Every structure is written in C-alpha cells, then in structure tokens.
Amino acid sequence: MLAHLLCTLGVSASVGVSSGNVTYAMSRMQVYYNRIDGEWGTTSWWHSGNVLEAMCNGMLYTGDKEYEDIVAHTWSATALEYDMHRLTAGYDDISWWGLGWVRSTVLTGDKKYLERAKGYYDQVHATWNSTCGGGVYWDRAKTYKNSITNELYITLGTQLYLQTNDTTYLDNAMRGWEWFYSTPMWGASDSALIIDGLTSTCGGTGAVWTYNQGVVLGGLSDLYLITKNVSYIEHAYGKAVATAEKMTTNGILQEPSLGQGAISDAEQFKGIFARYVGYLLRRTTPPPAALQQSYDTLKAFLNTNANSVLYKDIDGQGHYGFYWEGPPTKPAKPNYITHCSGMDVVTAAFGL
C-alpha cells in the first residue's frame, strides 16, 4: 500500500517548494489582517489563532521575520478580549490560540506570550473528570468530550512543558494520551481514522475530519522527543499514513464528510493536518529505519499537495481556495481561512 501511494504521489512530489512561495503566501495573508482588533478576517475567532501559528511557522522555516511585528501587534490588540475569551469561548477555540502564543515564543524568544497560553490551558485542564474514564470537554456546558479538544490538550501540554520544564504539563499530556488512545475515538488500530467524539454512554460518534487526524501528531512527536520512546511516533506515523491513503483523491487531500460543499470551520481543517504532518517529519528527521518508508510517503504527500495548491488552486490575487486540486473559485472565491489552509501545506512542505 505504501509503495502504491508513493507511486501515486511521485509526479508532482519532485517539485520543491521555495522560500519565496512561503513568504509570498504570508504577504497575501496580510491583506486580511485587521490592525484594530489584531485578527485576520471577520468570522470565527479560532481561525485567527491558527493564522498566528501559521505565520510563525512561515517565519521560522524561512528565516524571514518581516512580519514579526504582526505577532507583537496581535498580542497588544487582543489584550482587552483575553479574559472574555478565556472564560467564555469553547475549549478547543482557546487551545488554538494557546498554541499560537507558544509558537510566538518559539519565534521571538519572548516568554510573555506563554502567559496567555498557560491561562487558556488552565481553563481546559480544569474540565478533566472521570466521565468516560477521563478526558476534557469541548463545550462550556460540559456535555461533549471530543477528539479535537483532547488532542489540543495533549499537544498544548507538551509544548508548554518544552518551554517551561514544568513536569505537570508533561504528566497531564501523557495521561491525556493514554486515555485518548484507549477510547473509541482513536479506533481499533493506528490505521483506523479518528472519529469526532464520544456519546453520553462513551461510545464513538461523529464524522471523520482531516484535522482530527492531525493535531495529535504534534503531541506524539513531542513525547517522542522528550522520552525517546519510539512507540509514540509509530502511532503517529500509522495514523498520518492512513489519512494520506484514505482521505485523498489522486494524492490530494479531501474533506469527504463535507460532500461537495464547504463550511467555514472545515475550510481550515486540511491545512491543520498538513501543519502537523510537517511537525512530525521535522521532529523525526532522520526517522528510525523502520519508519523511513512512512517518512518518505508523508514527505511526498506534502509536496504533492503543496504543488497542487501553488499551481492549481491560486487565484489572480495570490490567494488559495478550498479545493487544493482547484479551481480556486470552487465552491466560492478564496477567503482568509482557505488561504491559511493552503499556506499551511505550502509551509509544511518547504525545506523537507
């Protein structure tokens, strides 16, 4: 199966992504930036947390820090709303921003950004309870435990540990992973696709989304770096390769649960998966010998999808659309969310 997938991906995978591709994508992202509120676009707040992380990655990977002032400005412009969001927004939404602020520290070396990340993390951590054996909640009403919030909890925890050396974050992340892996959300094997969440009786429920396959790769690759226990990345590679095999058409990542439409939340999902595949590959270079073929498969996957975005899914203003195979106007013209998603895969593929 891996050999077949490599053959499928091989044609466009040979074309590399340049630093210029990444910096141009970042420049076009700024068209959507609102300096008054320090966010990109005008819709759901959580998307801007993802843009912040994507922008940090673009600057980190290329070494071009032209937009570093945007990070500082976003910090200042969003100060007044921090407590409101920390105390009222969905637990997944605040976790995205937490990861964006951790990445801001990685980029700039300024530890002040960690304070917001910690504040968001504490809100999520406080929801852990024994229902279904553990896990954190997605919603403030505490009615639903789902995969994305728990994956974010694990990954934000490992990232905070790496920045602070506070073992509480590491202990929580390891406990979170052990619980998540034991639930129906993970599936019967590493090759099964992660489903959305748990029912009130702790069974599995919900659709399969690309981002649910991705975020946990960050926490698992961090745990590998921290512990050197290869089992963490064996699970990560298994899930990532399964996604590249099962959620693509002609090698291009799809969001099959949408049908032929698109909703604003799902416009972000594929880029998140690509971002976390990029993290996995960067944190395991060179990979253990037993994972080399999987590494090569995922590297080819990123390059194939990035090149499709660059050459088939870009409009006349340099913005990326929803369907990475193109055209950029399907099902509607590009927006800041679809552009961020495309920028994520272009950035992830760069330099590998």
Side-chain angles (χ1 to χ4, degrees):
M1 180 65 76
L2 286 178
H4 172 73
L5 184 59
L6 276 170
C7 183
T8 301
L9 296 172
V11 176
S12 57
S14 62
V15 182
V17 175
S18 72
S19 61
N21 295 141
V22 179
T23 56
Y24 181 68
M26 289 194 292
S27 74
R28 302 314 299 154
M29 193 75 239
Q30 301 324 302
V31 172
Y32 301 108
Y33 190 65
N34 182 339
R35 293 191 67 87
I36 295 174
D37 62 17
E39 298 172 18
W40 290 264
T42 57
T43 55
S44 183
W45 176 72
W46 76 274
H47 294 294
S48 282
N50 276 275
V51 179
L52 177 63
E53 186 173 1
M55 289 293 297
C56 288
N57 284 340
M59 289 183 276
L60 281 163
Y61 297 167
T62 65
D64 184 340
K65 297 188 177 182
E66 178 180 353
Y67 302 104
E68 191 171 328
D69 66 308
I70 294 291
V71 175
H73 181 81
T74 299
W75 166 265
S76 299
T78 57
L80 292 178
E81 63 184 29
Y82 165 67
D83 276 334
M84 176 187 72
H85 287 305
R86 183 176 63 86
L87 298 173
T88 63
Y91 293 117
D92 56 340
D93 293 357
I94 63 177
S95 298
W96 295 115
W97 274 93
L99 287 165
W101 289 127
V102 172
R103 207 63 176 154
S104 298
T105 291
V106 175
L107 173 69
T108 66
D110 193 335
K111 297 287 188 179
K112 73 179 182 184
Y113 299 119
L114 294 180
E115 296 311 307
R116 286 193 196 169
K118 293 174 183 177
Y120 290 142
Y121 175 90
D122 289 345
Q123 286 286 304
V124 181
H125 174 69
T127 74
W128 181 283
N129 68 10
S130 61
T131 300
C132 296
V136 296
Y137 283 96
W138 168 71
D139 58 328
R140 293 281 171 171
K142 297 181 176 62
T143 63
Y144 188 46
K145 291 186 175 181
N146 69 351
S147 57
I148 197 59
T149 313
N150 281 279
E151 292 177 50
L152 288 163
Y153 173 69
I154 295 164
T155 301
L156 183 53
T158 57
Q159 284 288 290
L160 284 170
Y161 167 74
L162 288 168
Q163 291 299 316
T164 66
N165 291 318
D166 184 338
T167 57
T168 300
Y169 295 120
L170 178 58
D171 292 343
N172 291 342
M174 294 177 78
R175 179 180 66 162
W177 159 246
E178 290 166 4
W179 174 80
F180 181 62
Y181 179 66
S182 73
T183 71
M185 294 182 286
W186 181 261
S189 70
D190 292 346
S191 62
L193 296 177
I194 296 171
I195 60 174
D196 194 70
L198 298 177
T199 66
S200 60
T201 57
C202 306
T205 188
V208 172
W209 301 106
T210 53
Y211 79 151
N212 285 338
Q213 320 309 314
V215 174
V216 72
L217 308 180
L220 289 172
S221 56
D222 283 342
L223 287 172
Y224 168 70
L225 286 179
I226 295 162
T227 68
K228 307 305 179 187
N229 183 338
V230 74
S231 70
Y232 289 121
I233 55 169
E234 289 173 342
H235 293 308
Y237 271 98
K239 198 66 71 178
V241 169
T243 305
E245 290 173 346
K246 297 177 179 180
M247 299 189 76
T248 56
T249 300
N250 297 322
I252 305 303
L253 190 62
Q254 305 294 319
E255 203 65 73
S257 292
L258 279 182
Q260 290 299 305
I263 57 175
S264 62
D265 277 356
E267 289 172 342
Q268 192 88 60
F269 292 173
K270 292 182 296 182
I272 292 169
F273 175 74
R275 184 193 312 159
Y276 280 89
V277 171
Y279 288 154
L280 174 63
L281 298 185
R282 283 174 167 82
R283 294 168 187 169
T284 58
T285 301
L291 294 172
Q292 184 66 57
Q293 189 175 23
S294 295
Y295 177 96
D296 293 342
T297 296
L298 293 174
K299 179 179 175 180
F301 163 83
L302 286 180
N303 277 311
T304 294
N305 280 267
N307 278 283
S308 189
V309 166
L310 288 170
Y311 297 106
K312 297 180 180 180
D313 190 36
I314 187 169
D315 71 5
Q317 287 72 50
H319 295 131
Y320 308 134
F322 177 72
Y323 286 95
W324 289 353
E325 66 270 28
T329 53
K330 177 186 176 183
K333 68 179 183 179
N335 57 54
Y336 80 103
I337 307 170
T338 62
H339 185 74
C340 179
S341 185
M343 183 171 72
D344 263 321
V345 71
V346 169
T347 302
F350 170 67
L352 289 173

